[in-house]
Amino acid sequence: MDTRLLLKVLGRRRELAARDGWSPSQVRTYQARRLAALRDHSQLRSRFYREFHRGLTRAPLAELPILTKAVLMDRFDDLITRGDLRLADARAHLAAEAGAQRLMGRYYVAATAGTTGEPGIFVWDVEEWAEVLASYSRAYGWAGASVRLTGHTRMAVVSSTVPSHQSALVGASVDSRFVPTLRIDSGDPLEDVVRRLNHFRPDVLVGYASMLGLLAGEQRAGRLHVQPGAVLSASEVLTAEARRDVEHAWNRRPFNVYAATETAGIAAECGQHAGLHLFEDLVITEVVDDEGRPFTPGEYGSRLLVTVLGSRTLPLIRYELSDSVRMLPAPPCPCGRPFLRIGGVQGRAEEALRLPAARGGDILVQPNVVHRAMELLPLTGWQVVLDDSGITVYVAGLAELADTGQVARRLADALALAGAVAPPVRAVRVPAVSRTALGKAPLIRSVRGGGEHPGRGRDKAADTD
């Protein structure tokens, strides 16, 4: 990280830390002011928003139309607020695998994986990128991992090293003498990952939840010898099983971080581990149903709408994410922070299984039903795949004498209790669950109409965004 960017990030981080001590009313006032500035900027600078919000300049946020990724990509050149930047430029930059090198010397560029269609491309100028990095730094700070100019914090990130992925771009940006950063691709052989971590000995370990579970197993087996002061999970659902594995391995609870390429940090756990605090001063989140109506706190919504308050180059107002999120009731967290909390993210809407319903028609079985059925089983990894032939459960780490039929029956029973007519369910042992091109291990997939099964090698065709 160059010194100027580092100083910007540290300045933003101090501002965020000060807001942690605000009251809820101060947060709301600040949020409203930033939202008004964002809307004014979008009307002035973006031809798309002048059309998209025509006649709605005084309308409440909840009455504005929803922006989808498909519309964003189709109208990218009209939506962008900088006259020197076009979608073709961003695509060429990504194709060149330029990593942390800025496009035109001014813009950071990253892309989503494109599971839900065409990959989304997002850009930030230096000021916006400093806020992106500060949002992650806030999560690290809540976990007890701080960055200081008087010392250094060794950070290992086991996720994706694909240059277009935001986690790789963030890792390359923060790597400095103050934060020496080891970036490891989670798709690398596990023994190589262990060897590199043993040599680096990180103070902070960040990774996909599935990788943290595997590394915890290596630590308990005596092959991994690291003692991180903080462990953070990002980008995948942090299951109860993975939490237990991390705590048993390092005698400390992992901190869950919720982020997306489009928004950077959205929410993170504090030391209470009683839900994830929303970064309400950075992102406005709306949990809604399929029709875009607000969802009742305590229940999982169908999707999430995000308004990124600091977005200026590519403004995002009521942008749709397909994540299923549950808001917690309003009582404050014992930590004293003023921000609302979410109970968790159970996965993307695409992870819900559409099955025949016992009462007729179809039913969407939410990911948490599958999670509850699988998490108490003695496994090191699992993936559930629905295709035209039924449901296959790929299981890793199941003892040779254990009954795979028990795994299948457990899931089938859970689906029946949820009101579904389960198709044939079978369980298959695999040496390890496969990973996508970005190194993630999606827990639930529907591949009707054909497609490679996740248990048959690394899947480079799909990923969660």
Side-chain angles (χ1 to χ4, degrees):
M1 182 188 297
D2 66 68
T3 303
R4 286 177 296 179
L5 178 58
L6 175 62
L7 291 175
K8 287 180 185 292
V9 173
L10 291 176
R12 296 291 179 87
R13 180 66 189 92
R14 285 192 293 270
E15 294 173 5
L16 297 184
R19 294 176 208 157
D20 289 352
W22 281 3
S23 68
S25 62
Q26 286 177 297
V27 173
R28 300 290 172 267
T29 299
Y30 178 81
Q31 193 182 67
R33 186 168 67 247
R34 289 201 80 183
L35 175 61
L38 171 62
R39 293 180 65 175
D40 288 346
H41 173 83
S42 301
Q43 285 294 309
L44 180 65
R45 300 285 185 177
S46 170
R47 180 167 65 180
F48 168 80
Y49 276 111
R50 286 195 292 273
E51 298 173 6
F52 201 47
H53 291 172
R54 181 174 290 127
L56 298 170
T57 54
R58 297 183 181 276
L61 179 66
E63 295 180 9
L64 298 180
I66 294 171
L67 175 64
T68 65
K69 183 173 66 175
V71 171
L72 180 145
M73 293 306 299
D74 184 57
R75 299 290 305 278
F76 187 98
D77 288 348
D78 291 331
L79 202 155
I80 204 84
T81 63
R82 308 297 168 89
D84 62 343
L85 184 58
R86 292 290 180 266
L87 178 58
D89 302 321
R91 281 182 167 148
H93 183 79
L94 291 173
E97 298 188 344
Q101 182 178 342
R102 295 196 292 265
L103 170 61
M104 303 176 184
R106 298 180 58 187
Y107 304 109
Y108 293 88
V109 186
T112 65
T115 302
T116 57
E118 178 184 10
I121 295 176
F122 299 87
V123 293
W124 304 265
D125 67 15
V126 175
E127 293 294 331
E128 293 167 305
W129 191 245
E131 188 157 290
V132 166
L133 297 180
S135 76
Y136 289 112
S137 177
R138 168 186 264 175
Y140 301 157
W142 289 2
S146 59
V147 177
R148 303 178 304 277
L149 292 177
T150 56
H152 66 267
T153 301
R154 300 170 67 84
M155 181 180 299
V157 182
V158 188
S159 59
S160 171
T161 57
V162 175
S164 63
H165 195 237
Q166 193 188 71
S167 65
L169 192 57
V170 168
S173 296
V174 302
D175 188 18
S176 66
R177 64 189 179 95
F178 304 108
V179 191
T181 303
L182 173 67
R183 294 182 293 137
I184 303 177
D185 196 293
S186 59
D188 288 348
L190 185 57
E191 57 270 25
D192 289 349
V193 176
V194 168
R195 176 183 52 79
R196 295 179 68 188
L197 287 174
N198 280 335
H199 178 74
F200 187 72
R201 296 192 176 277
D203 303 305
V204 180
L205 178 60
V206 183
Y208 295 151
S210 58
M211 279 305 303
L212 293 179
L214 290 175
L215 293 173
E218 292 297 295
Q219 181 84 12
R220 293 198 308 273
R223 292 182 287 271
L224 181 63
H225 310 283
V226 299
Q227 293 298 329
V231 181
L232 296 100
S233 170
S235 296
E236 291 178 347
V237 174
L238 179 60
T239 65
E241 180 184 18
R243 283 185 184 274
R244 290 192 298 268
D245 289 344
V246 168
E247 191 165 0
H248 290 162
W250 291 295
N251 196 31
R252 61 184 65 256
R253 302 175 73 178
F255 285 77
N256 200 6
V257 180
Y258 176 37
T261 298
E262 299 91 333
T263 60
I266 299 175
E269 286 184 339
C270 67
Q272 298 292 323
H273 298 278
L276 293 86
H277 289 277
L278 290 167
F279 295 172
E280 295 182 89
D281 52 340
L282 301 179
V283 182
I284 296 176
T285 57
E286 303 172 70
V287 180
V288 298
D289 63 15
D290 288 332
E291 304 303 320
R293 297 182 295 255
F295 222 77
T296 306
E299 299 180 9
Y300 279 101
S302 299
R303 50 187 171 152
L304 192 71
L305 307 181
V306 293
T307 298
V308 183
L309 295 172
S311 60
R312 292 294 184 272
T313 302
L314 191 69
L316 297 179
I317 302 175
R318 301 201 88 205
Y319 179 84
E320 178 188 79
L321 298 177
S322 58
D323 293 337
S324 180
V325 171
R326 176 171 61 92
M327 291 290 300
L328 291 178
C333 177
C335 77
R337 291 180 175 86
F339 308 116
L340 294 174
R341 288 171 292 157
I342 56 177
V345 183
Q346 68 171 356
R348 298 226 149 179
E350 290 76 21
E351 291 183 329
L353 297 175
R354 182 174 293 278
L355 297 170
R359 296 184 177 182
D362 288 344
I363 186 173
L364 275 177
V365 179
Q366 296 300 324
N368 62 319
V369 173
V370 179
H371 289 190
R372 284 197 299 266
M374 301 300 299
E375 284 174 5
L376 295 180
L377 293 169
L379 306 171
T380 60
W382 58 267
Q383 289 176 323
V384 171
V385 180
L386 172 66
D387 61 18
D388 295 330
S389 66
I391 293 176
T392 304
V393 186
Y394 295 94
V395 293
L398 186 67
E400 284 300 320
L401 297 178
D403 181 10
T404 56
Q406 179 186 3
V407 176
R409 288 191 297 272
R410 185 179 178 87
L411 179 56
D413 290 344
L415 297 175
L417 284 174
V421 178
V425 180
R426 67 184 184 119
V428 177
R429 287 188 177 89
V430 292
V433 294
S434 68
R435 297 184 176 275
T436 67
L438 293 183
K440 297 181 182 179
L443 297 175
I444 307 168
R445 289 185 59 197
S446 295
V447 290
R448 287 184 169 171
E452 183 182 8
H453 285 207
R456 298 176 185 164
R458 190 173 177 189
D459 173 13
K460 298 197 178 273
D463 204 320
T464 50
D465 289 346

